[in-house]
Amino acid sequence: MKKLFIANWKMKLNLRESRDLAQKYLSFYQRAGLQGLPAQAGKLDVAVAPTSIYFPEVRSVFNNLIPLSSQDVSAFGNGAYTGEISASALTEFGCRYAIIGHSERRINVNETDLLIKKKISQCAENKIIPVLCVGETEAERKKGDTDTVILKQLHGALENQDCFPGTELVIAYEPVWAIGSGNAVTPDVLQNVARLIKRGVSGMFTEKFFDDKVRIIYGGSADAKNAAEILAVTHINGLLVGTASLNAKEFFEILTLVK
Ligand code: PGA
């Protein structure tokens, strides 16, 4: 499967800054980016996740060349859900992916596995590829609970989801302690977690589903310096990039590392 790189701009930019950064992405895409990198062309998918009310602006800068991802989605379909953004509304703005269950949402607004599960169903119904985030906190890691936490999050979000194996799925391993810390995971730890995720997903569905439709990506202080060794890990098929994605040059440098 193609490697996937999602730039998660979080809530860090205002409208002008989002537009400016989108413009820089577009220049890299056109000059030094995907079209200028024959070795990479056809080997990777890229998406950008800006603040959702800026979708129309960013989309018009990208001119449909770079797809969008949302940073979240409602667990509900259309209806009386004040403040929510439905998956169907996201598709109207050309949104191809939705980040779901990011630790910043699990922690700051208490998102539960059950809610996350419903969000995945909404994505599947609306043909948006869900990017399910899983990962342990520093305290959980210190207690040796990494595997247990990840398996619980995977089962909580995916078990008995009848959209699978029909629908594509992205799982982002994002250790909470690594996010925004400048310290990415080491390749050996990442290797163990990737194997665990593969076992977990194959066990709930089939190995064929995992091989054909599931991509594991990594997020947490991924940057141009550490991307090559992270991408060399078996079963790791891309990156979810926060801080480093705010620098267009660095983000596109990461893309050139795809072999
Ligand atoms: P970071 O964020 O790259 O700044 O660590 C990644 C993320 O939270 O998706």
Side-chain angles (χ1 to χ4, degrees), residues 8 10 102 104 174 178-180 219-222 240-244:
N8 181 6
K10 306 195 180 184
H102 191 285
E104 285 152 16
E174 294 217 313
I179 295 174
S221 298
L240 179 48
V241 186
T243 312

